Amino acid sequence: MDFPTRFATLRHIGRDKTKHASLVALLLALVLLRKRLLGKAQPRLSPDELARETQKLYEVNKDGSKTLLVPFRGRVAKVEMRPTPPETLLADARHFPPVPPEHKPGVDRVFLRQLRAILRLAFPALASKEALIVLLHSLFLVLRTVLSVGVAKLDGRIVRDLVSGDGPGFLRGLGWWFAFALPSTYTNAMLRHLQSKLALRLRTRLTRYTHDLYLSSAPSLRYYRISQPGGLEGVDQYITSDIAAFCESLSALYGNIMKPTLDMFIFTAQLARVLGVRGTVLLTLNYYVTVRILRAVTPAFGRLAAVEAMLEGEYRAGMSRVGRESEEVAFYAGGARERTILWNAYLRLVKHINSIYKLRIAYEWTEDFVIKYLWSAAGYGLISIPVLFTRTRTVGVQVPTSAEGLDNAVADRTENYISSRRLLLSLADAGGRLMYAYKDVLELAGYTTRLYTLLSTLHALPTSVPFTSSPDTISMKHLDIGVPVPPSAQSDDASSSATYNDDEDNMILVRDLSFELKVGVGEHLMITGTNGVGKTAVARVVAGLWAGRVGELVRPPLGESEVFVVPQRAYMVPGTLLDQVIYPHSFTQFLQSGRTETELLEVLKAVHLAYLPEREGGWSTRKEWRDVLSGGEKQRMGLARAFYHRPKFAVLDECTSAVSSDVEGSMYQHAKGLGITLITISLRPSLAKYHTYQLTLHGPGASADLDLNGVAGETGTATWKLTRVGTAAERMERDREVVHLEARLAEVETWERRVRELDVLLSTPAEV
């Protein structure tokens, strides 16, 4: 078969392949866009309607899933959300064993295992949208390769017609050139679109899963436990930047590996027909030498990318800290100090990035030399093989018998050269991109290690705190309370009830603590004592944040209707004024409960905040409430939430320290009137009268002066005493304390006289 016939056959085959691939790609594109093509446009909403829908935030479906309401261009887009079941999260934990501390990111078996575990989450099923996008992307990659082969053949044909002076053939070639241009440009645009679409879908899938895992409800509370010893620092960097970087790298790497690999196979097969066995062997040898050279000079880009992400997280955390604590920093006039801290963090980041740039100089210099110049020289040598060394040349080409034969020979060799050169240049480009992809794989290894570390740490956190459930009782029976230590790294069961391991070096704050409170009998407990003796630690154990060491804890399950904790520093949620009162409920739950704004106003009256709706512009006003409300108003808003939810037990941890005594007293009376059993942590003696029992915690050594219950023989262990408020025993205790203080005051004259004697001895003027 002569060359023109072979070219026509290949062009016909390529046209058929292009036609079928284009049809399949078009059908898949229509499947992806069916909702947009068939869906009806929603009417635009008025500003009030849009604000109302935005405030609702979501709708609850009959099957328990939620539909998020997202405002967009005057309309509300609905996005269905199906939270990951806890059973699925528990089953996934076996795929995420902890990362060994000595592991360094790299392309090895550990990287492949980590990537496989993450891909199980990113591609949950073969029929998922992500898999469909990958399939469509693959078809367009094949289509572009087929088009590239056709364009290379057509390029040689056009030059052949131009050299031989075939005007009609040249015009036909130009027509085919523009015919190829339409699907080629569309294919390139769709490849970029599908790559971006795949990265966004993967990020959405992984972000949803991470949110379900990180923001898990009680008793898991992973968002709290991950900040404890054994957790991670800079979790916001992991969830926001690292997931996005991983998805961008993965989606780009797929195209950067599959397309060059496909091109190399197809282009090598096409060139083998022209180059022969000798040229094909030399081409394969060129591949091998290139891989060996680049493998030898490639730095550890995976480790460098992981360190860069860590330093970016530290810098971001510093900026967030200044914004979050801006008022406190301003009170101390600490701007200069914070600037120094942030600048040091930025300099560490910049120095690391500069070191990467320096490493890339040698690597990119070698890479460009090998890919551009070495491959080009090898390409010219390979192209010369059919012309100079093969034995298949015709006699007419070497010794033409006529001018027409000479022209045809030159035209044929020109066509062969142009087609082979274009294929070889495309092959060199594919090989270059495949070599570049190794660097991308190393960077992907760094991002994979970061993301896997986040997921494995979240899965390894304890998912429960041991306690005995009781609907109407909170009690501690000989319970030891201490600062939690991280779970054992050798534990195979991440959800074991032994959530914290005993550590001899870890200080126990309160030992052998015992008390009991019941709902509905008017019992209230006040916990007091000096700073650092473990008052808040008791509240954390009651709230389920910490686990007791030895002993038994009895309490109701966590929830705003059972145990509600009001901390000293009130949290202001983003949203409306109404959202501040009903937190953690949403506006949708508020509507479903049947409560009204009139009831909310009564709640605000109970905490002396009834003026807020009028002052701030109504219940639907959105502001940065953390900055709008004063310290006392924020603390009273925290109590308003307790009054709104009306729990059985309320733990009040210094939550009225910025409130005046008269307002504080009325709020405590109102809480007792609602039937809420109070557990108050405070240093104010005036609050004792609103409670039934008083638990006093004392530091180490206090038992030498006071008659206390509890154990006081341990270093660093607080002693405690539980008394009933208003009893004769309490009055006797106060009388003993008064006598003790008066005895100390009687010794003041003796101390002053001794000071003057010492001053005389030291010849120093005295000031008493």
Side-chain angles (χ1 to χ4, degrees), residues 609-674:
L609 291 177
Y611 56 86
L612 280 183
E614 181 178 358
R615 188 188 78 179
E616 302 299 338
W619 292 103
S620 301
T621 303
R622 291 178 175 271
K623 293 184 178 181
E624 190 62 45
W625 300 105
R626 181 187 61 184
D627 301 327
V628 171
L629 302 181
S630 65
E633 289 175 333
K634 286 187 283 190
Q635 286 193 340
R636 282 179 280 165
M637 185 63 73
L639 273 173
R641 294 169 181 169
F643 296 163
Y644 170 79
H645 293 290
R646 296 189 179 184
K648 295 179 181 178
F649 295 90
V651 181
L652 312 181
D653 185 7
E654 296 281 3
C655 65
T656 57
S657 59
V659 180
S660 61
S661 299
D662 55 338
V663 174
E664 181 183 54
S666 66
M667 291 190 297
Y668 269 85
Q669 288 288 8
H670 184 73
K672 296 174 66 175
L674 294 177

Side-chain angles (χ1 to χ4, degrees), residues 267 374 388 431 475 499 516 528 584 603 658 754:
F267 294 157
L374 184 60
L388 302 177
S475 69
T499 55
E516 182 179 74
T528 187
V603 170
R754 180 55 180 167

Side-chain angles (χ1 to χ4, degrees), residues 48-257:
D48 293 339
E49 293 174 336
L50 189 62
R52 185 77 172 178
E53 292 296 320
T54 303
Q55 190 175 7
K56 288 174 62 176
L57 191 60
Y58 65 86
E59 295 176 348
V60 180
N61 302 323
K62 294 182 179 180
D63 59 354
S65 63
K66 297 179 180 179
T67 301
L68 292 182
L69 305 177
V70 182
F72 180 70
R73 295 181 179 178
R75 300 182 177 90
V76 175
K78 296 186 177 182
V79 180
E80 187 174 355
M81 295 285 292
R82 294 183 178 275
T84 306
E87 298 79 11
T88 303
L89 297 177
L90 188 61
D92 289 342
R94 62 187 179 89
H95 299 290
F96 293 91
V99 181
E102 65 276 6
H103 171 68
K104 303 296 182 182
V107 182
D108 50 18
R109 295 180 61 183
V110 176
F111 161 66
L112 295 178
R113 178 176 59 81
Q114 294 176 350
L115 183 62
R116 183 170 62 250
I118 297 175
L119 290 181
R120 288 183 66 259
L121 308 178
F123 297 92
L126 292 177
S128 62
K129 291 184 178 180
E130 293 80 7
L132 185 60
I133 293 175
V134 171
L135 177 60
L136 186 58
H137 192 265
S138 303
L139 291 175
F140 274 103
L141 288 175
V142 175
L143 177 60
R144 191 172 73 170
T145 301
V146 173
L147 290 172
S148 298
V149 174
V151 168
K153 297 295 184 181
L154 182 59
D155 193 15
R157 183 68 179 180
I158 291 175
V159 175
R160 180 186 185 280
D161 293 335
L162 184 62
V163 171
S164 61
D166 185 1
F170 176 72
L171 293 177
R172 284 195 302 270
L174 286 181
W176 279 109
W177 183 269
F178 285 108
F180 271 97
L182 293 177
S184 297
T185 53
Y186 176 74
T187 300
N188 292 333
M190 284 301 297
L191 285 175
R192 289 190 293 268
H193 169 74
L194 291 174
Q195 178 178 319
S196 301
K197 188 76 173 178
L198 178 61
L200 189 59
R201 287 291 310 179
L202 293 177
R203 183 181 182 183
T204 301
R205 177 80 66 176
L206 292 176
T207 300
R208 284 184 179 180
Y209 183 88
T210 307
H211 283 182
D212 291 338
L213 186 62
Y214 175 64
L215 298 171
S216 54
S217 56
S220 298
L221 303 176
R222 292 184 177 91
Y223 56 89
Y224 172 79
R225 305 192 195 285
I226 198 171
S227 61
Q228 303 303 305
L232 285 179
E233 295 183 0
V235 180
D236 55 343
Q237 173 75 13
Y238 283 90
I239 296 179
T240 55
S241 298
D242 290 347
I243 290 181
F246 170 82
C247 296
E248 290 286 348
S249 178
L250 181 63
S251 60
L253 186 64
Y254 174 74
N256 292 340
I257 289 182

Side-chain angles (χ1 to χ4, degrees), residues 51-52 55 576-579 581-582 587 590-591 593-606 609-610 612-614 617-621 644:
R52 185 77 172 178
Q55 190 175 7
T576 64
L577 177 60
L578 186 144
D579 293 330
V581 181
I582 66 176
F587 184 68
F590 171 72
L591 296 178
S593 67
R595 309 284 286 271
T596 63
E597 294 179 356
T598 303
E599 295 180 55
L600 296 184
L601 187 60
E602 293 298 324
V603 170
L604 291 186
K605 287 181 179 179
L609 291 177
L612 280 183
E614 181 178 358
W619 292 103
S620 301
T621 303
Y644 170 79

